[in-house]
């Protein structure tokens, strides 16, 4: 019996997690697995409920789970620049830190069926299959920061052990893929990047079978658009990874398709679609649940080491797309438009 905590969050979060959990339960039953699912509040909905984006009992429940599935958080209702007001994003950051989820894994795959959705030419993006491995509990997001009148600062602070454990994850993943890691830094300017690069080189001695390429972040931003086919695994710090993962995701042109995993050394992993809470379409049965469904597939793979159910889900998604079914965000001429619930039903029907 696995324990899963679901954090539906805000906006379209509850709609997409509902479909994904139904897929999960059906796949689990097919593979003789049992899941006990509990929901909790995190994000804007938690602020509305108790004034805090990450209530203590939510964090505790997550800690006691085998995995956590998150929908999306945030929305204009809670936007503020006032440092004394709670923000939904603090909930997510608290969860990452609280569960020590130092490695964020974001696969970017370009589906042939959706190749026209990319803003780049088909020949540039066809077959793209890359992985961004982003450090998630350090750097600019968690360094010393303050506001003093008209002055404010944030600090990019890294220790060698943080780089070491992250780059090991990247090397291990590369060994199971095409064996190439781009370690992305800004070592020509930043001290923290020079420590990053030195540490990566030290660890790389144990990974002779992985091709290691050091690349400066500005160059990577350019190369991702110029020739994304050169990338297999991109490993980088928290801030650079935030930016580069959004950029990479756009190669596929369909944010609604991309899943992610956040992993620690032990304890539950956190799985979530990379898209936001899309408040403009919330509650209208328009959201694309595929990214959340594929996040469940990642959960089977990374938290439970069960590649079979993961594959079953991925194949079902492939089939539904091949049959021409599309939610509004990936709709194109000649395809059949469906809503969130119908897409969930189609995926479940395609599991057989
Ligand atoms: C992401 C998001 C978050 C981040 C926000 C919502 C705090 O952009 O997961 O990439 O910056 O890490
Ligand atoms: Mg981001």
């Amino acid at each position: 019996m696995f324990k899963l905590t679901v954090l539906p969050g805000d906006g379209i979060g509850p709609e997409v997690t509902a479909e994904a959990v139904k897929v999960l339960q059906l796949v689990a039953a097919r593979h003789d697995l049992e899941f006990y699912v509990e929901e909790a509040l995190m994000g804007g909905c938690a602020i509305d409920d108790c004034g805090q984006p990450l209530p203590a009992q939510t964090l505790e429940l997550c800690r006691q789970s085998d995995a956590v599935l998150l929908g999306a958080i945030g929305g204009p209702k809670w936007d503020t620049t006032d440092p004394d007001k709670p923000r939904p994003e603090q909930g997510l950051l608290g969860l990452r830190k609280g569960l020590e989820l130092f490695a964020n894994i974001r696969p970017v795959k370009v589906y042939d069926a959706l190749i026209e959705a990319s803003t780049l030419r088909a020949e540039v993006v066809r077959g793209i299959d890359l992985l961004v491995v982003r450090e998630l509990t350090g750097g600019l997001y968690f360094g010393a920061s303050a506001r003093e009148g008209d002055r404010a600062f944030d600090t990019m602070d890294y220790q060698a052990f943080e780089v070491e454990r992250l780059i090991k994850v990247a090397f291990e993943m590369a060994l199971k893929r095409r064996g190439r890691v781009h370690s992305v830094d800004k070592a020509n300017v930043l001290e923290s990047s020079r420590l990053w690069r030195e540490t990566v080189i030290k660890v790389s001695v144990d990974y002779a079978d992985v091709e290691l390429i050091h690349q400066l972040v500005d160059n990577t931003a350019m190369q991702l658009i110029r020739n994304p086919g050169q990338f297999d695994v991109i490993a980088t710090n928290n801030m650079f990874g935030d930016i580069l993962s959004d950029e990479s995701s756009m190669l596929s042109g369909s944010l609604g398709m991309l899943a992610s995993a956040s992993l620690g050394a032990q304890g539950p992993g956190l799985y979530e679609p990379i898209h936001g809470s899309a408040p403009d379409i919330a509650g209208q049965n328009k959201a694309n649940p595929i990214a959340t469904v594929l996040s469940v597939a990642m959960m089977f793979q990374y938290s439970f080491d069960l590649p079979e159910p993961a594959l079953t889900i991925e194949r079902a998604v492939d089939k539904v797309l091949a049959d021409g079914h599309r939610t509004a965000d990936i709709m194109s001429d000649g395809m059949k438009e469906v809503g969130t619930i119908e897409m969930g039903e189609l995926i479940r029907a395609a599991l057989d």
Side-chain angles (χ1 to χ4, degrees):
M1 164 90 99
F2 296 112
K3 254 187 86 175
L4 174 68
T5 297
V6 178
L7 308 172
D10 309 316
I12 59 172
E15 294 163 72
V16 293
T17 50
E19 294 312 313
V21 168
K22 282 188 250 171
V23 171
L24 169 104
Q25 291 292 20
L26 196 57
V27 174
R30 298 277 160 89
H31 289 84
D32 277 326
L33 304 165
E34 237 185 294
F35 276 82
Y36 176 72
V37 178
E38 227 173 315
E39 280 192 7
L41 295 176
M42 197 276 280
C45 58
I47 294 176
D48 287 349
D49 184 68
C50 67
Q52 285 179 323
L54 179 61
Q57 70 258 37
T58 296
L59 181 58
E60 197 44 42
L61 191 67
C62 292
R63 280 207 177 106
Q64 287 163 13
S65 309
D66 297 303
V68 180
L69 180 68
L70 168 66
I73 54 153
K77 183 175 175 194
W78 305 282
D79 273 348
T80 172
T81 55
D82 182 343
D84 297 324
K85 289 242 173 72
R87 279 175 297 110
E89 292 77 12
Q90 291 164 339
L92 185 55
L93 298 182
L95 198 59
R96 289 171 178 172
K97 197 75 174 171
L99 299 175
E100 289 178 81
L101 305 169
F102 64 83
N104 182 224
I105 317 290
R106 298 188 176 184
V108 177
K109 245 174 84 175
V110 175
Y111 287 77
D112 266 340
L114 301 181
I115 205 149
E116 296 305 327
S118 178
T119 50
L120 297 185
R121 286 203 307 272
E123 68 260 31
V124 176
V125 295
R126 180 164 290 118
I128 290 302
D129 178 6
L130 64 83
L131 202 64
V132 179
V133 178
R134 166 189 174 193
E135 201 289 325
L136 205 58
T137 49
L140 216 39
Y141 277 63
F142 293 96
S145 91
R147 175 100 71 105
E148 294 154 1
D150 285 341
R151 175 168 175 254
F153 64 87
D154 302 278
T155 318
M156 192 182 282
D157 190 340
Y158 270 109
Q159 298 185 53
F161 81 91
E162 296 175 286
V163 181
E164 201 179 301
R165 63 185 183 181
L166 188 274
I167 201 69
K168 277 185 184 161
V169 171
F171 283 140
E172 290 294 334
M173 301 233 158
L175 284 175
K176 295 183 195 149
R177 294 170 50 93
R178 302 193 302 280
R180 178 183 287 182
V181 170
H182 280 79
S183 171
V184 175
D185 60 36
K186 188 71 184 174
N188 55 346
V189 177
L190 302 175
E191 202 53 51
S192 58
S193 276
R194 286 190 279 271
L195 176 81
W196 178 281
R197 196 175 279 213
E198 270 175 25
T199 311
V200 168
I201 291 171
K202 275 186 204 151
V203 176
S204 71
V205 173
D206 295 331
Y207 293 91
D209 292 339
V210 177
E211 180 191 2
L212 171 64
I213 297 153
H214 301 282
Q215 201 169 63
L216 297 172
V217 61
D218 48 347
N219 188 22
T220 306
M222 184 261 277
Q223 297 293 343
L224 272 169
I225 303 302
R226 193 185 72 86
N227 173 22
Q230 70 189 280
F231 297 105
D232 179 19
V233 175
I234 296 174
T236 191
N237 74 31
N238 204 345
M239 187 75 255
F240 298 165
D242 179 45
I243 299 164
L244 293 179
S245 61
D246 262 31
E247 187 187 358
S248 314
S249 73
M250 264 301 111
L251 299 172
S252 80
S254 39
L255 217 51
M257 300 287 300
L258 300 176
S260 77
S262 302
L263 308 173
Q266 67 256 318
L270 171 71
Y271 300 84
E272 56 176 315
I274 74 159
H275 60 68
S277 62
D280 51 318
I281 58 162
Q284 297 172 32
N285 193 34
K286 278 189 188 158
N288 186 349
I290 293 180
T292 318
V293 169
L294 291 174
S295 300
V296 169
M298 288 188 86
M299 176 189 303
F300 277 113
Q301 188 180 341
Y302 292 111
S303 276
F304 306 132
D305 200 17
L306 292 167
E308 271 308 310
L311 260 178
T312 309
I313 295 174
E314 285 165 11
R315 284 202 203 103
V317 169
D318 285 346
K319 175 163 193 309
V320 171
L321 292 175
D323 288 347
H325 300 288
R326 302 282 189 273
T327 42
D329 59 313
I330 51 174
M331 185 58 192
S332 60
D333 283 349
M335 300 293 141
K336 295 163 264 189
E337 187 166 334
V338 297
T340 313
I341 295 168
E342 294 73 30
M343 183 54 94
E345 282 165 354
L346 286 162
I347 294 169
R348 288 191 290 282
L351 288 172
D352 302 311

